[in-house]
Amino acid sequence: MKRIINTEDVIPIISGLVQKACYELSDNVLDAYKDALKKEESPYSRDTLKLLIDNAEFAKKEQIACCHDTGTTVIMMEIGQEISWSGKPLIDQINEGVRIGYRDGYLRKSIVKDPLDRINTNDNTPAVVHTEVVEGDKVKITAMPKGGGSENMGSFTTMVPGEGIEGVKKFVLDTVRFAGGKTCPPIIVGVGIGGTMDYCTYMAKKALLRPIGEHNSKPLYAKLEEELLEEINNLGIGTLGMGGTVTALGVHINYFPCHITALPVAVNLQCHASRHATAEI
Amino acid sequence: MKEYRLKLPLTKEIIDNLRIGDVLYLTGNLYTARDAAHKRIENTIAEGGELPIDFKGKTIFYAGPCPTKPGRNMGSIAPTTSARMDQYVEMTFKLGMLSMIGKGDRANYVSDLCKKYGGVYLLSIGGASAMISEQVKSCEVIAYDDLGTESIKKLFVEDLRVIVGIDINGDVFQNREILKYKKN
Ligand code: SF4
């Protein structure tokens, strides 16, 4: 049996999700801040972490943006294969949801129409939309406002297979070291390994949605996540780059089979304002 | 950690005595400008036009806020990545700016410029935007209204907490601090 959904239904859902994501950091993120505060040795970073905790609580209470950079709106949709859509084009309705959410939510409009002539669209559209078709008759929508400071410091490379785990580690560490305080640490480090150039970066972004504290189910990758986290924290970058013992809250790796000639690696960095909200229809 | 409560504008005398790591609570007027406003100023200078603000002695805040929700003084606001403005630092120092507020590391030449012009780079907290908006008591668009969030705005702040990131000796706070905790 097909389930028919009118595309119009996604408008209020998306406008609500972008606002919720921008106003309310999840308990998972807040707990990670608090945990970082216990481990942090630098007085400057400790003071700043305390401020970030207060900031998150205040933004939630006042229902205002916790960070002013309310980002590029990344929308991820998992669409059940039993779904059939009616109504206007889905992409237009998603953007309408973003438009309304940003306008009514007093969120910053940060998108320019053309990367070279740089005129602001003034409504934060278009969103970057990823869709996956999955089993079932439900639609899962995740809104992930992604700020520029951290997004701009991500990186991608294709290594030769022989570079292996050590090569991957070096690339991730170099990326984080180079990003320094620009990404608003403490960060979450999303890593994609394998696939193709496009799929690898997508995996790295999706990895950022994983709750902090959860590891890849495959022991090889879980171990790599732990080792990388320790080495990143040994870089000494600290909160906002002010020096300290906590630079990252987590390292999340996703992997995918790849070509015999290739070892693609993508790193997508997530600043402390790790914002995403999900709903299901 | 030395702490000072200071009135804006910061005088040359005060700036000369600031050292990296000092924590300042600033009260007075700041002026926002980011990428697009700096670019326009640069173009205006190149064309020999008149600038919309006099930079002399001013503190520039690299920031682009959210719209203000009714009932509040200011939308969420916090510094943006300063490194994107590195290329404009000499221009703004030449125009008389004495201090700038932003977040993150800067190119090495920015510390040389702070030394040369006797100016400072101050660090505010990236992403603490809801809390920082509480410190802003008023906001007025001064120029480039069409740039929206990127327009030049005059803000009156009370007790805005910043840390001296680069002082007039060209010393860099983050370089000093990171070395203390770096293990590899
Ligand atoms: S990097 Fe993140 S926390 Fe920092 S200003 Fe950008 S969106 Fe906000």
Side-chain angles (χ1 to χ4, degrees):
Chain A
M1 256 300 276
K2 291 259 180 285
R3 178 178 167 215
I4 298 172
I5 303 178
N6 193 304
T7 55
E8 208 172 50
D9 294 354
V10 306
I11 299 175
I13 292 172
I14 290 195
S15 68
L17 286 177
V18 294
Q19 291 176 4
K20 185 169 195 282
C22 289
Y23 299 163
E24 302 176 13
L25 291 182
S26 67
D27 289 343
N28 177 253
V29 173
L30 267 178
D31 288 346
Y33 285 1
K34 288 173 188 163
D35 199 40
L37 186 56
K38 282 185 207 141
K39 294 180 193 147
E40 182 53 73
E41 289 169 20
S42 151
Y44 289 105
S45 282
R46 290 176 53 80
D47 280 353
T48 307
L49 278 168
K50 284 182 207 156
L51 179 67
L52 293 180
I53 294 169
D54 290 347
N55 185 64
E57 285 166 355
F58 183 67
K60 185 173 175 178
K61 184 176 125 251
E62 292 288 319
Q63 293 286 286
I64 55 174
C66 66
C67 176
H68 63 280
D69 183 356
T70 48
T72 301
T73 316
V74 178
I75 302 286
M76 305 230 187
M77 291 181 84
E78 289 177 19
I79 304 171
Q81 62 191 21
E82 309 296 327
I83 300 289
S84 160
W85 296 97
S86 67
K88 291 186 185 155
L90 179 60
I91 189 75
D92 294 349
Q93 309 286 47
I94 292 172
N95 282 323
E96 184 62 10
V98 170
R99 194 172 288 126
I100 293 170
Y102 275 68
R103 182 194 66 201
D104 297 352
Y106 302 94
L107 304 177
R108 196 179 82 175
K109 320 321 182 265
S110 314
I111 301 301
V112 292
K113 204 172 201 154
D114 176 310
L116 294 180
D117 76 15
R118 311 204 68 82
I119 311 289
N120 201 304
T121 63
N122 285 324
D123 60 8
N124 223 58
T125 69
V128 170
V129 181
H130 297 285
T131 53
E132 280 181 34
V133 176
V134 297
E135 262 183 70
D137 64 353
K138 299 270 189 300
V139 179
K140 194 168 136 191
I141 307 176
T142 299
M144 181 190 195
K146 190 71 170 63
S150 58
E151 184 67 9
N152 294 348
M153 302 311 290
S155 57
F156 172 83
T157 187
T158 305
M159 299 183 191
V160 295
E163 290 181 79
I165 289 185
E166 286 314 308
V168 170
K169 271 189 167 174
K170 183 172 181 304
F171 181 68
V172 175
L173 278 174
D174 286 348
T175 300
V176 174
R177 187 186 297 112
F178 179 68
K182 294 190 187 84
T183 44
C184 290
I187 53 176
I188 303 169
V189 181
V191 183
I193 306 178
T196 49
M197 186 175 175
D198 54 332
Y199 196 68
C200 190
T201 54
Y202 173 60
M203 282 193 293
K205 176 150 273 99
K206 258 183 85 172
L208 299 176
L209 297 175
R210 192 198 296 165
I212 300 160
E214 274 181 27
H215 282 291
N216 190 298
S217 56
K218 191 165 172 175
L220 174 71
Y221 289 93
K223 182 163 166 274
L224 186 54
E225 287 171 349
E226 274 182 11
E227 288 171 2
L228 271 170
L229 180 62
E230 192 184 329
E231 288 183 43
I232 287 168
N233 287 333
N234 285 342
L235 293 174
I237 296 167
T239 300
L240 269 300
M242 297 181 176
T245 46
V246 182
T247 300
L249 303 171
V251 176
H252 300 170
I253 303 175
N254 283 337
Y255 70 95
F256 193 78
C258 65
H259 193 269
I260 46 175
T261 59
L263 175 50
V265 185
V267 181
N268 196 205
L269 299 174
Q270 172 63 63
C271 57
H272 64 71
S274 172
R275 294 160 289 183
H276 45 88
T278 300
E280 200 177 68
I281 31 177
Chain B
M1 238 188 256
K2 278 195 197 154
E3 294 196 347
Y4 302 98
R5 278 177 201 281
L6 299 172
K7 289 254 179 308
L8 294 164
L10 296 177
T11 62
K12 191 77 196 64
E13 216 177 1
I14 289 171
I15 286 178
D16 285 351
N17 287 311
L18 298 176
R19 291 296 170 266
I20 53 168
D22 290 351
V23 177
L24 319 179
Y25 292 88
L26 304 176
T27 297
N29 290 321
L30 298 176
Y31 296 80
T32 66
R34 1 178 322 147
D35 314 54
H38 278 86
K39 178 97 203 132
R40 243 184 227 190
I41 288 163
E42 184 182 57
N43 290 345
T44 307
I45 295 173
E47 290 158 7
E50 201 180 315
L51 294 179
I53 74 162
D54 178 6
F55 279 83
K56 282 225 170 57
K58 298 225 160 54
T59 303
I60 300 298
F61 186 14
Y62 300 141
C66 285
T68 306
K69 187 174 168 176
R72 296 190 56 78
N73 289 328
M74 185 70 209
S76 295
I77 183 166
T80 192
T81 306
S82 306
R84 293 195 318 274
M85 266 57 74
D86 287 353
Q87 56 178 313
Y88 302 114
V89 170
E90 182 142 37
M91 172 186 86
T92 44
F93 270 147
K94 278 186 178 160
L95 290 169
M97 172 195 74
L98 282 178
S99 47
M100 47 202 159
I101 303 177
K103 72 164 170 99
D105 327 318
R106 311 204 68 163
N108 291 335
Y109 67 78
V110 174
S111 29
D112 298 337
L113 291 171
C114 286
K115 219 164 149 179
K116 181 170 164 193
Y117 291 93
V120 284
Y121 169 47
L122 308 171
L123 296 162
S124 174
I125 307 302
S129 316
M131 288 302 276
I132 295 175
S133 75
E134 280 283 279
Q135 258 63 60
V136 182
K137 301 302 165 185
S138 69
C139 168
E140 181 193 338
V141 177
I142 297 287
Y144 308 154
D145 200 7
D146 61 302
L147 294 180
T149 185
E150 295 212 59
S151 65
I152 298 183
K153 298 173 183 75
K154 179 173 160 183
L155 308 180
F156 186 84
V157 297
E158 250 174 51
D159 288 328
L160 178 73
R161 182 180 177 277
V162 295
I163 299 168
V164 178
I166 305 177
D167 59 24
I168 59 152
N169 297 324
D171 289 331
V172 180
F173 168 69
Q174 295 100 312
N175 293 355
R176 181 187 78 185
E177 292 301 309
I178 288 173
L179 275 184
K180 294 184 188 165
Y181 303 98
K182 193 173 161 9
K183 294 182 200 136
N184 62 2

